[in-house]
Amino acid sequence: MSKRSFGVLVLIVVAGVLGVLAANKLLGPSTAGNAQWPATQAVSLLPTPRPLPEFSLRQSDGTQLTQSELRGHWTLVFLGFTFCPDVCPTTLAQLAQAQKQWAGLPESTRPRVLFVSVDPERDTPIKTGEYAHAFHKDTLAATADVPTLEAFAKSLSLLFVKVPGEHYKDNPQDYSMDHSAQIVVLDPQARMAGIIQPPFAPAPIAADMLKLTRAMSP
């Protein structure tokens, strides 16, 4: 896919996300689907949480990650890859700061961070886990084959594309991955419930997740 094509796809996704956020602002907190949750600073809650199609990703310990494992927790999902020079390490470091602030919550309800590598050619599940755990030991890490990753990303209104480098023909490892930079928020039913747009601030993110977790029904 050319960079121009990727740019068009980005515009389509951004338009869709902005449409959802505009609806959220117009409908306000009384909208069914987020009325049960407290007001948030960093997290833009959707008017109605969106169920996700079934997915199965491969975790760093070799087990499958499905919706069932995410239920009961708020989850922050971020796409990236271990060769990422800036956005990924910066975002994971910021999320690690937020994770420290909710570390005192019970493990049974504690918010989760899920890092999904969209570069399975170079990032094995083990390598993805080692990378993510270097930022915070509790971060979930997973990847999958490209078709599975594309379907998963699409269900979250995210995208990614392989971008060959200048010497790709001579060196197949000379490429990067363009990917959405937003963080997607899943509710305790593993539905898409909101997004966090960059730039990210750990303190407001942590405050939001603490409030949302404490507002969960017993």
Side-chain angles (χ1 to χ4, degrees):
M1 182 183 293
S2 68
K3 288 191 175 181
R4 180 180 180 183
S5 297
F6 178 74
V8 172
L9 284 175
V10 169
L11 290 176
I12 293 172
V13 171
V14 169
V17 170
L18 290 178
V20 170
L21 293 180
N24 190 26
K25 286 186 174 295
L26 288 173
L27 294 173
S30 63
T31 302
N34 71 13
Q36 62 180 309
W37 306 120
T40 52
Q41 305 174 62
V43 179
S44 296
L45 293 170
L46 305 185
T48 303
R50 189 171 79 196
L52 302 180
E54 293 295 323
F55 62 82
S56 180
L57 308 176
R58 179 70 67 177
Q59 297 192 84
S60 55
D61 63 0
T63 60
Q64 294 295 316
L65 177 70
T66 63
Q67 278 98 327
S68 62
E69 184 166 343
L70 300 181
R71 292 191 177 102
H73 302 261
W74 286 88
T75 304
L76 306 183
V77 183
F78 177 67
L79 303 186
F81 62 113
T82 69
F83 285 80
C84 181
D86 41 37
V87 174
C88 301
T90 299
T91 300
L92 288 174
Q94 292 167 327
L95 288 173
Q97 293 179 48
Q99 286 171 283
K100 291 177 182 178
Q101 296 182 52
W102 65 61
L105 293 176
E107 194 281 332
S108 60
T109 59
R110 190 181 303 155
R112 289 172 164 177
V113 170
L114 169 59
F115 173 70
V116 178
S117 171
V118 293
D119 184 14
E121 184 176 334
R122 295 181 296 192
D123 293 345
T124 64
I126 292 176
K127 184 175 182 179
T128 302
E130 290 174 344
Y131 179 80
H133 297 156
F135 294 92
H136 198 285
K137 62 181 180 60
D138 291 341
T139 298
L140 299 174
T143 188
D145 57 68
V146 172
T148 299
L149 290 169
E150 288 177 339
F152 179 70
K154 182 179 178 181
S155 73
L156 299 176
S157 296
L158 302 176
L159 53 81
F160 65 91
V161 65
K162 183 177 183 178
V163 181
E166 182 179 352
H167 305 292
Y168 181 72
K169 289 184 178 180
D170 299 320
N171 177 15
Q173 296 295 303
D174 180 27
Y175 68 88
S176 185
M177 301 296 297
D178 281 354
H179 59 88
S180 301
Q182 297 92 344
I183 295 170
V184 171
V185 181
L186 305 185
D187 70 8
Q189 286 73 51
R191 302 173 299 182
M192 181 175 175
I195 61 172
I196 306 174
Q197 296 280 11
F200 305 121
I205 291 175
D208 284 354
M209 301 316 296
L210 283 165
K211 286 195 297 183
L212 290 169
T213 299
R214 288 166 177 160
M216 289 167 56
S217 300

